[in-house]
Amino acid sequence: MATNMAEAETRQRLLRTVKKEVKQIMEESVTRKFVHEDSSHIVSFCAAVEACVLHGLKRRAAGFLRSNKIAALFMKVGKSFAPAEELCRKAQELEQIIETKRSQSLQSQDGLRRMPRLPSLTTQGVRNLWIRTALFEKVLDKIVLYLVENSSKYYEKEAVLMDPVDGPILASLLVGPCALEYTKMKTADHFWTDPSADELVQRHRIHGGHGRQDSPTKRPALCIQKRHSSSSMDERPSPSPSAREYVESLHQNNRVTLLFGKNNVLVQPRDDMEAIPGYLSLHQNADIMTLKWTPNQLMNGSVGDLDYERSIYWDYAMTIPLEEIVYLHCHQQVDSGGTVVLVSKDGIQRPPLRFPRGGHLLQFLSCLENGLLPHGQLDPPLWSQRGKGKVFPKLRNRVPQGSGSSDSVSDKEEDEATDYVFRILFPNSQSEFVTPPDLMDQGATMWHPTLRKASCSSCSQGSFSDGATPKGCNHERTPLKLLCDNMKYQIISRAFYGWLAYCRHLSTVRTHLSALVNHTIVAPDVPRDAFKGLTTDVWQTFLQDCTAYEEKELLRLVYFGGVEASLRKEVWPFLLGHYQFGMSEEERKEVDEQVRVCYQQTMREWLGCEEIVKQREKEQHAAALAKCSSGASMDSPSQKMVHHDSTISNESQSSQSSDRQSLARLQSDSSSSTQQELLDLYTLNLHRIDKDVQRCDRNYWYFTPANLEKLRNIMCSYIWRHLDIGYVQGMCDLLAPLLVILDDEALTFSCFTELMKRMNQNFPHGGAMDTHFANMRSLIQILDSELFELMHQNGDYTHFYFCYRWFLLDFKRELVYDDVFAVWETIWAAKNVSSSHFVLFIALALVEIYRDIILENNMDFTDIIKFFNEMAEHHNIKQVLTQARDLVCKVQILIENK
């Protein structure tokens, strides 16, 4: 018996795994409009299906000597099933391609030769190859169905496919995935598609580095490994985890500007190697410029997909921050496009960068010069020539002192230079790199700018060996003076407009955000540490003497530290307004008694109405059956209902029973049509409540049938007193945590009524939801402009509709029950401590905690909905609440302009 149960549990576990993976694939096809063949969901799905197909497989069917049991099984099936035969042929061809590619990849690694291109198959493509091929050929469901129908031939009795129920279910589950279209198109995340939310969080923890401070930081730089040889590559990206990030960073994106890009730039990584071509790119991130060179083999995948992340070419890739470079040695050759050698602060030279023909060296220097401005510059600067743009400066050799008169200067020395040494200057740190004047005078090969052809005849008549202008001539100095004046004007203008923008920013903050927070900042440690929360000792002291603690102090303790779990049943009625903090024990008992009487009265009224509804439905059902059986014409249901209502009304007037008191409300000088509308309205709400109550948190231990009945009674009582609002899906979610804590129908009814005074406006009949969205937009735009810009660019989801469920239910479905309790009591206490809109700051905290993941993966609207749906009940609530309180304090400080 135990063995049978264990086998049944194994079958169910395998089937549940397949169901989960099928759901993931179908969701991906809807949200992304396509499914890539290399999607991680495809890999997981194929593994789950293969586990089911191999479960309980007979050894004869698997082949005694075959290591690939799936291949052996499909080949046996192919002998009698045509779709399987065609599949076997295609799968064997793919296996042959993979084997050829692997052998050629090993050969190419020794000689570092460019290997021929073969059909691309990723590492995932090798796993579960036969199942994957069957899926893409749309025959997997047919083959599995064939195995189910002929299971006795291939499987033992305990196998999944032998089970008369589980086997057909498995085959039917595969119909959906086999009907989808799968793409081979190389998207931006071709090799790393669709990671789950848990995987994204794990990646961020591994590669995120140090935690983010108050101001948003950029993504950390790729790993740098120092090498001992001065001529070798100084930096290389971390190959395995950062391959995707590195390749994506080479292109233009919303965080980094691509200033220059050129392929086929040659670099000789080692002295014993030939120069290899690669992609040279210049990137600017804020004030940081980075030069990257990546071998072509990594750009086009020619090293082989199987060994892409382990390729030796990663050792040759360069990532060089320009702030480390001091000199650029440029050499122009007749037979090439020029060479650049970078020299760093420590004097180490990088391997030469050899540009192809076509003016690419000059274009690179021009982009570099533009990128350095306004904080840095090239010395000497490039010249601007009308009709040509930027050109190399006209330089000539300086004549050493004492070498003779100016007449001895040869024509060769007057020729323009072909080799240049440019220095990268940063005015703020210029003193660190200035060469002493005496050393500059001793250099016989230093370059000096030649005189331009001046329009002034007095300046152009003489010849000066030192290249200086005649004394007293100001024609060459005038443009420089104008340039300096213009720079001063620009600096002053930028400072002024920066100050003006800051003033407008503060004005916007005060205008749009001042109403979201209390203007008084409450400290967590004054007068005592509040992070311990509301403890039993403090609460008992308060109950014995109400003057021992003020209401604000108790709320401060709850806001910063929460309520001790054993006290929530006593404290929550105070937080929700059922009791006032200054009430004595007798006053609280009096309030409880009034609430209990009111609740019982309400119960009697709606129970009487419910009996009428049930009787009406019973009669309508009987009439419908009679009409179907007899075929005779009958009175319309509305006429019968009116007659029935009048009969009930007459009975209720003569009856003194308490369960008929609702009929007085139904009559009360109103027409029968009004009674009919009231009954119809309550019937509609009753059906909605019954559906939601049965579905409400069925897996939570508290909700036994008896407690579900309590939940229904409270909800029906509330709706009976608020029929103008009616029941809306989600109200049960708000009631359930209150009932779990209070465990008393009348008390929960009163507290729920107080809670709904605020929450009612979030439902469709209220207008608070649009206000929440607008406030979220203002908060993110001011506190995190980078994230707001990403949201605006990726389909513009600054409407924040993904927060709808958060605001509607106060994050109830995003958290486990214990975390819901902590969040709710903090929200209630925050109204009088920091902000009556604390839910906004919790929502903002959730977004900010995962901001780096959102930015790194460039999420659009569907991505962010999928991410937060998968992260539900996995949040660190202590971190979220701490972040939310910090954000409130940040806004308060901004408003005070401290």
Side-chain angles (χ1 to χ4, degrees), residues 314-328:
W314 285 113
D315 292 331
Y316 307 142
M318 290 191 295
T319 301
I320 305 173
L322 261 295
E323 60 185 8
E324 297 181 2
I325 301 302
V326 181
Y327 291 104
L328 288 85

Side-chain angles (χ1 to χ4, degrees), residues 759-779:
M759 299 303 297
N760 249 330
Q761 298 303 311
N762 293 334
F763 288 93
H765 52 263
M769 196 61 73
D770 290 335
T771 305
H772 289 329
F773 293 151
N775 290 332
M776 274 292 289
R777 191 177 303 113
S778 298
L779 282 170

Side-chain angles (χ1 to χ4, degrees), residues 396 398-399 448-451 463-470:
R396 63 183 176 85
R398 171 180 293 182
V399 179
H448 195 278
T450 60
L451 292 175
S463 176
F464 300 91
S465 61
D466 60 353
T469 58

Side-chain angles (χ1 to χ4, degrees), residues 601-666:
Q601 173 69 19
T602 305
M603 281 277 292
R604 285 193 294 268
E605 292 179 4
W606 70 260
L607 282 173
C609 185
E610 182 183 25
E611 186 175 342
I612 298 173
V613 170
K614 289 181 178 179
Q615 182 65 26
R616 183 181 68 168
E617 291 179 346
K618 183 177 180 181
E619 292 182 0
Q620 288 177 341
H621 182 64
L625 290 178
K627 184 176 182 180
C628 292
S629 60
S630 64
S633 60
M634 301 181 64
D635 295 338
S636 64
S638 60
Q639 292 175 344
K640 292 181 66 66
M641 195 62 240
V642 171
H643 174 72
H644 177 68
D645 287 343
S646 61
T647 303
I648 296 295
S649 300
N650 293 332
E651 292 177 0
S652 63
Q653 291 174 353
S654 58
S655 174
Q656 301 299 324
S657 176
S658 62
D659 61 354
R660 289 290 186 270
Q661 291 182 11
S662 62
L663 298 179
R665 179 174 178 175
L666 291 177

